[in-house]
Every structure is written in structure tokens, then in C-alpha cells.
Amino acid sequence: MDYAGVDGRRTDGTAAGDDEAVVEPPAAFSDRAVANDPELYEAFAEEGPEAWRRAADLLDWETDYETVLDDDDPPFYEWFPDGRLNAAANCVDRHLDERRNQLAIRWFGKRGERRSYTYLDLHREVNALAAGLRELGVEEDDVVTLYLPMIPELPIAMLACARIGAPHNVVFAGLSAEALATRIDAADSSYLVTCDGYYRREDAFNQKSKADNARLRADIDLSATVVVDRLGDALDVPLSDDEHEYESIVEAHDGETVEPVARDATDLLFVMYTSGTTGRPKGVEHATGGYLSHVAWTTRNVLDVRPDDTYWCAADIGWITGHSYGVYGPLSVGTTSVLYEGSPDYPDRDRVWDLIERNAVSVFYTSPTAIRSFMKWGAEYPDAHDLSSIRLLGTVGESITPKAWRWYREHVGGGEAPIVDTWWQTETGAISLATLPGITPMKPGKVGPPLPGIDARVVDEDGEPVDPGEPGYLTIGAPWPGMLRGLREGDERYRREYWLEGEDGWRYRTGDGATVDEDGYVSILGRVDDVINVRTHRFNTAELESAIVGADGVTEAAVVGDDDGKIVAYVTTRGDVDPDEPLRDAIGEGLARAVGDVARPDRVVFTPDLPKTRSGKIMRRLLEDIARGDEFGDVSALRNPEVVGEIESAVREE
Ligand code: PRX
């Protein structure tokens, strides 16, 4: 088996929990929890794929499914293949009987604006937009690209697409024109919904000009563009003939209803581009039935969300967490969600706590990156607010240290709320490893065991399970409903990128290194491929490095993430080039252009050389250790060990 790369990963325990600590689910929580029957684990183990009927049966099906899983042609799996359903009908229409006047979305804008949508309001606007998109020519299976910030029009556009069976392709609003063009082109998309702009703190920022620049690229040919007016008079953004005002469309079609298109469960719900093992992002495809079932089931059983909650997933909808747990999860279970456009520290560092208090948020889901910032800003900010509405806390995206876990529980969870540390990926679609908060004891800093029905194992190079505490590769040995149905780049790439065939069948490779303890609790060590997760964004190192090398005078670059979620770029220059401020700026600009402002490096370290193995591979792990100020191990594999001292002093001086 080829698992290349776990060797020499950091196993210093930074990500691991302290083994002693086991925190039982509080009885008061368990008594009321959605999942509180410990037999659930056994039931899944005994029933196999059939157990996932529990998830699918949370949804309304247009045509009932009979088959749960078709696994005749691994690794191409089909979930609920003979069933038909519509995702938007499941997220909106079916709630109208019981909770038409209940709020679905409470939106808070960057400048203190507020807008609320009941399920009935949502139904009205989704239908109007769906009718408008149809009129513009969007047909079933046409991919619609959505390039919008955190405004209600983004989930509404996703649902309007889903309603007419048009897969959406959401591109994070902070990505550049070039990144947008690449994703429009790769997804073969002829329709775009974007906006005039949005606020960054006080300033109006022009989003439309980025969309315009993307359209200038020769291979982009859009049939129609819809533009949301986010900024009003703050920015004058003229529209051309093939560009349509969102507001006019919705007004023109107000009151119309569009019959939800029944989709095969295996039909595409959306594509989401994410970084993989090459410099080009890959298009992860999610099918309608399996994805929505898994997302709804985990929203209820892991995040414990019910209709009468006010729930807040702080992730941007431009990434998978926002898709699954900001839009499809909460709406499919019929709850009320907070949607927040602003920053956590504006106008002040208590903004998040203020929103939780004012909205009586009961379940809050965020990332360790955010929790680290909250800790740095100080406990006085949460402590000044009444957060007693919180019942459950969640984290996702990277490992949380036991210290941060305790801080989160103490200062946000009132010392009482369980925390679910949820592991999953763009590709897994939904939470795959986590404790069930009413059943499974927590270990601070450890993700926990796989969810019932998820056959995750940490294995060695030969695919054999590793001993407790030994580092290995996190793999999944059986299909699960939320899994990607394939890649836009085709079957071969999908198979090569993710699957290995062994004696015990096909195993999905997550790309993560991990350890597992005696109780089956998994700790994530980090990626073993060339993917880095920084500030909750996922990049491929080559994607960033090729943009840096594009700056005049740069010869080589290596990019790593440090402990604070910052991007550190190590850069070598041509002999006749001064590594000075203008070059630093040019590197930042190059990254902003190629990828987006989110990829600007926080630190650029100029160094005479990069550490390389004898085969010429850059030893990024060592650079990561230096950036984090960690001890590093053996450098004897290096062709140029002398460079290590030089790099360390460059880091110190910088
Ligand atoms: O390395 C793992 C890390 O995030 C990667 C997936 O990134 P992405 O597809 O952008 O999705 C992020 C949100 C679902 C994983 O391969 N990761 C995710 N959750 C955790 C994590 N690392 C440690 N602990 C987690 N709970």
C-alpha cells in the first residue's frame, strides 16, 4: 500500500489529549439529548449500511428508497440509489405546516443591520429566485456558481438552485478573480450569482470588479450573471446587459411557486472546490440523498440541534462547514440559525458573546483558530455576558489543545456544556469522528471515536491497524452516506486520490496522520500530504508556492502553517536581488491575485537556501517546526544541513 509520508510527522503530543482526563457527559444533558441510547453503537455495528436508514428517514422522500447502498462497483458507491427527493423541499417546504412563522435565519450584517427570515419568508424568496433563474435559462443539471459573502442571499441562492435541480458551486467570497475563473471554468458553469460588494470593517469593498476580471478570461463564457445589491449607495456598480439585479428578479417573480424537482438520490447537489495533492483545486461532488441524510443525522445526533434551538455555526458558507452545518443541516432539521456577516472583534471583542446572549444561542459551533483568538483577547469578554443559554459547544477544522478545550468549556460553556470535537473533511461531507454528546465520554484534546457506522481506522504502511499511541494513517474502511460521490476531474482521479484496495477491501485515505488510544479515541496529528489548513482555509502548498515564485527575483519558496494559524513563507532569491520590503509586498500581492487575500503570508522569511533531502524534496516538516519554535529532530537526511542554522537566525531576525 502506498500511504507515503507519515514518517517523521510530529508526534510530540501537541495535538493529543492528556490521557488521564475523561469527562463524562453531564447527566442533565444526557437526559434530554437527541442521542442518549448507548446501544446505538452496537445497532450500527450489527446492522451495517442498513443502520443508515435512521438518517435517511429523517428526510421526506418524493419516491421512497428501497436499497440503502449499492456497493457493486467499489469505490463508486451509491447511497439510497432508487430514492428521489429534493433538498430545498426538505429544508424549507416541509417545515411550513408546523413552523411557517418560526425564524429560519437571523442575519446580522457588518454594520449592525439585521434581517430575519421565517420559513415562510424563505419559501417565498427561494421560489421567486428559482423562477427567476429558470427564466434566465438555468436548467436541471446546469452548474450555477455563487460568489457571495455571508448574506442571506447566499443560502437562498443555494436553495433556489437545489429546488430546480441545478447544482451549485459556491466560491468563497475572499478568493481572487483568478481563483473564481478557475472554478467557473473547471465546473463548466455558465451562470454566476454575485454581489456589488461588501464591507470590510468600515470600508466598502468591490466584489463585482473581481467577478468582472474573472469574466475577462478567454475561457469564461457566462450566459447570465445575477448581482445582489449589498452596498446600496455606498458603491456605484453599473450593470451591463447580461447582468441582472437580484432584487428585480425576486420582485418580478414574487408570489410564484416552482415545483421542487425530484432528484435521484445520487444526483449532484453541489460541487465544492478544495485543495488536494496537486496545485490545481479539485471539484468534490456531493450527491443529494446520502449527503443530506448524513448531514441531518449528525446535526441532530452530534450537534444535538432541535427545532426550538437557536443554533450558530460560525463558519463561512463558502467552505464545507458552512454548507453542511450553516445551511443544509440546520434547515433540514427545521431550527433557527444565526448567520453573521461580521468579524468576531468588531465593533468590539465581545461581539460573539453579545450575539449569543441576545439571541439565546443554545448550540455554538466554531473552530480552534477562533477559540485561540478568544483566549488571547481574554476571558473578561465572555465573562461579561450571560451565556447560560449555551447547552452544547462544537469545534471543527483542526486539533484543539486540552488547554483551549478547557477554556472554551469554562468561559463559554459555563463549565457544564459538553464539547464535541468533530473531525471531518470536504470529502466526507459530514461529521465522521466525534463523541455523541449525551452518550460518549469526552477526552479534552482528542477527537474521540468514529461515529457509529463509520469504519475509521489508524493503519500503518501495510494497512494494518497500529498499536495504541503509534502514529499511522487515518483511513475509512467502508462507505458512508455523506461521502463524495466523485470528483469533477473524473473517476480515475477520484480513485487515485482517495482509495486503496487491500486484502480487506477498499479503504478511503483521509490524508491525515493520527494516533489512537486504548479506548479507540483518535488524535489527529495533521496532514501527511501537501495540504495545509490555516485560518480554517485549506490550501495546497504548491498552489501557494507557485504564486510566490511568480514574483520577480524569487527562485524557490516553501509555505507552512504555524501554531497561530498563520502562513509562513520561506523564500530564496536570485543572487542579484535584494530581499527587501518591496519584494515582500510583491509576494503578498502575487498570492492575493492568484488565490485571494486570505492567502497573503503573515511572515515572509528570506533564506539563502531551503532544507532539502538528498532526493531534492523540500523538508517542510522541519520548516514547520522552526516556524512554530518547536524542537526538531534528526536532520541527517538533509543534503544541506548547514542551512538549518541560517534559517533559524533568519526567523529570529525577521
Ligand atoms: O486535517 C483535517 C482537518 O481538516 C482537514 C479537512 O479540511 P477541510 O476539507 O477544509 O474541512 C474542514 C472542516 C470539515 C482534515 O483532513 N480537521 C478537520 N477537523 C478536525 C481536523 N483536524 C483535527 N481535529 C478536527 N476536529
Side-chain angles (χ1 to χ4, degrees):
M1 289 209 180
D2 170 26
Y3 286 104
V6 82
D7 272 4
R9 290 299 306 182
R10 294 183 318 142
T11 53
D12 58 1
T14 30
D18 25 355
D19 284 334
E20 300 353 292
V22 175
V23 181
E24 294 295 330
F29 181 91
S30 297
D31 290 346
R32 291 193 56 220
V34 172
N36 56 14
D37 180 2
E39 311 263 303
L40 202 56
Y41 285 97
E42 270 159 48
F44 267 85
E46 278 164 22
E47 294 167 31
E50 291 291 316
W52 285 108
R53 283 182 186 273
R54 288 174 180 76
D57 292 346
L58 293 173
L59 305 180
D60 277 3
W61 293 78
E62 194 65 35
T63 307
D64 278 339
Y65 64 91
E66 283 181 16
T67 309
V68 170
L69 171 68
D70 177 347
D71 56 0
D72 285 349
D73 182 23
F76 304 94
Y77 300 100
E78 297 190 339
W79 283 90
F80 317 111
D82 46 13
R84 289 170 75 76
L85 77 169
N86 181 280
N90 270 285
C91 290
V92 184
D93 302 43
R94 67 168 172 152
H95 303 310
L96 292 186
D97 282 348
E98 273 184 50
R99 51 187 81 99
R100 62 173 46 217
N101 294 322
Q102 178 192 311
L103 291 184
I105 296 175
R106 284 169 178 259
W107 177 74
F108 297 88
K110 256 187 197 161
R111 317 206 99 193
E113 314 96 309
R114 295 151 148 236
R115 264 195 269 158
S116 295
Y117 291 78
T118 61
Y119 275 93
L120 187 63
D121 297 334
L122 205 55
H123 185 259
R124 196 173 183 109
E125 192 157 327
V126 167
N127 271 281
L129 182 62
L133 289 175
R134 269 220 180 127
E135 191 177 67
L136 291 174
V138 180
E139 293 181 1
E140 193 175 350
D141 289 321
D142 285 345
V143 176
V144 180
T145 301
L146 309 177
Y147 187 46
L148 291 167
M150 289 283 275
I151 53 179
E153 288 81 356
L154 177 51
I156 288 169
M158 291 163 75
L159 294 167
C161 289
R163 190 167 194 91
I164 57 175
H168 52 73
N169 169 33
V170 178
V171 178
F172 174 64
L175 291 189
S176 67
E178 212 168 300
L180 171 66
T182 304
R183 285 158 177 76
I184 292 175
D185 177 40
D188 218 358
S189 174
S190 303
Y191 298 92
L192 174 67
V193 183
T194 184
C195 63
D196 51 355
Y198 56 94
Y199 292 105
R200 284 187 180 166
R201 298 197 174 249
E202 288 294 315
D203 302 326
F205 170 81
N206 193 328
Q207 177 81 342
K208 171 77 171 19
S209 68
K210 285 199 289 174
D212 291 343
N213 286 335
R215 290 185 62 182
L216 290 177
R217 226 174 73 170
D219 49 359
I220 303 298
D221 184 16
L222 292 175
S223 309
T225 300
V226 176
V227 184
V228 176
D229 179 7
R230 165 70 186 100
L231 295 178
D233 296 337
L235 198 70
D236 185 25
V237 177
L239 302 189
S240 60
D241 286 351
D242 59 347
E243 294 174 333
H244 309 267
E245 276 178 16
Y246 175 99
E247 295 71 20
S248 310
I249 294 177
V250 166
E251 204 175 304
H253 295 277
D254 189 37
E256 289 178 32
T257 43
V258 173
E259 199 51 37
V261 173
R263 303 275 283 165
D264 284 352
T266 54
D267 279 342
L268 187 60
L269 177 61
F270 66 85
V271 53
M272 158 123 270
Y273 279 85
T274 188
S275 298
T277 52
T278 69
R280 273 182 80 81
K282 52 194 179 182
V284 171
E285 294 187 341
H286 279 290
T288 310
Y291 170 81
L292 201 61
S293 301
H294 194 166
V295 165
W297 192 82
T298 45
T299 302
R300 295 208 20 94
N301 289 275
V302 181
L303 298 175
D304 199 58
V305 174
R306 318 130 206 247
D308 60 1
D309 278 318
T310 298
Y311 156 83
W312 183 6
C313 165
D316 196 289
I317 295 174
W319 306 111
I320 194 69
T321 307
H323 275 50
S324 300
Y325 298 106
V327 179
Y328 286 112
L331 295 176
S332 65
V333 308
T335 195
T336 303
S337 290
V338 169
L339 179 64
Y340 178 52
E341 187 195 29
S343 338
D345 58 348
Y346 184 80
D348 205 347
R349 290 177 163 178
D350 71 341
R351 180 69 173 144
V352 169
W353 320 124
D354 182 47
L355 283 169
I356 291 181
E357 179 173 10
R358 278 198 284 135
N359 292 286
V361 169
S362 39
V363 178
F364 180 59
Y365 191 29
T366 189
S367 65
T369 307
I371 297 166
R372 268 200 305 269
S373 301
F374 300 148
M375 285 171 76
K376 220 177 280 168
W377 297 338
E380 62 270 29
Y381 293 101
D383 290 353
H385 289 271
D386 175 5
L387 305 181
S388 57
S389 56
I390 292 282
R391 185 176 80 247
L392 175 78
L393 296 171
T395 83
V396 58
E398 55 186 302
S399 296
I400 182 165
T401 59
K403 191 168 160 210
W405 194 101
R406 295 215 162 80
W407 187 95
Y408 193 30
R409 187 162 204 237
E410 186 61 35
H411 297 286
V412 186
E416 291 271 318
I419 297 179
V420 282
D421 179 351
T422 64
W423 178 96
W424 57 293
Q425 308 179 298
T426 304
E427 293 85 345
T428 71
I431 298 170
S432 310
L433 275 71
T435 52
L436 290 172
I439 301 174
T440 328
M442 298 162 274
K443 296 193 184 186
K446 293 188 175 184
V447 170
L451 287 184
I454 304 286
D455 181 22
R457 273 184 236 166
V458 182
V459 301
D460 64 16
E461 303 281 336
D462 302 318
E464 296 296 324
V466 294
D467 289 333
E470 288 299 315
Y473 306 91
L474 181 64
T475 64
I476 307 180
W480 64 99
M483 65 188 294
L484 72 169
R485 69 162 208 188
L487 284 181
R488 205 76 191 150
E489 291 69 26
D491 289 352
E492 187 38 45
R493 173 93 192 267
Y494 163 73
R495 194 199 316 252
R496 198 174 27 160
E497 189 89 22
Y498 299 110
W499 295 91
L500 286 171
E501 191 179 9
E503 277 160 23
D504 59 346
W506 290 82
R507 300 199 77 77
Y508 168 85
R509 292 187 296 174
T510 66
D512 278 8
T515 60
V516 60
D517 72 11
E518 296 77 10
D519 302 322
Y521 280 60
V522 173
S523 301
I524 304 293
L525 300 171
R527 301 284 308 197
V528 294
D529 52 15
D530 293 328
V531 171
I532 56 171
N533 288 321
V534 266
R535 293 183 225 135
T536 70
H537 305 298
R538 174 167 154 183
F539 302 106
N540 173 276
T541 47
E543 189 181 351
L544 304 183
E545 288 157 10
S546 64
I548 298 178
V549 175
D552 201 23
V554 170
T555 46
E556 262 191 322
V559 173
V560 299
D562 76 1
D563 267 344
D564 287 328
K566 298 212 163 93
I567 299 178
V568 184
Y570 295 89
V571 175
T572 64
T573 54
R574 243 182 15 232
D576 59 334
V577 172
D578 267 345
D580 52 10
E581 277 316 305
L583 183 56
R584 246 178 242 271
D585 292 345
I587 290 170
E589 285 307 315
L591 277 163
R593 208 170 35 246
V595 182
D597 277 326
V598 285
R600 275 181 199 272
D602 300 276
R603 291 157 68 193
V604 175
V605 180
F606 291 109
T607 139
D609 203 356
L610 293 172
K612 297 209 182 107
T613 61
R614 293 203 176 78
S615 61
K617 201 169 153 37
I618 295 172
M619 222 166 160
R620 244 185 230 94
R621 172 181 55 83
L622 180 65
L623 292 171
E624 202 174 277
D625 288 341
I626 296 174
R628 290 170 187 241
D630 285 346
E631 298 263 316
F632 45 84
D634 190 6
V635 293
S636 61
L638 287 183
R639 182 174 73 192
N640 53 350
E642 68 287 352
V643 77
V644 176
E646 296 177 41
I647 297 174
E648 279 192 294
S649 56
V651 168
R652 266 197 304 273
E653 278 164 28
E654 172 260 326

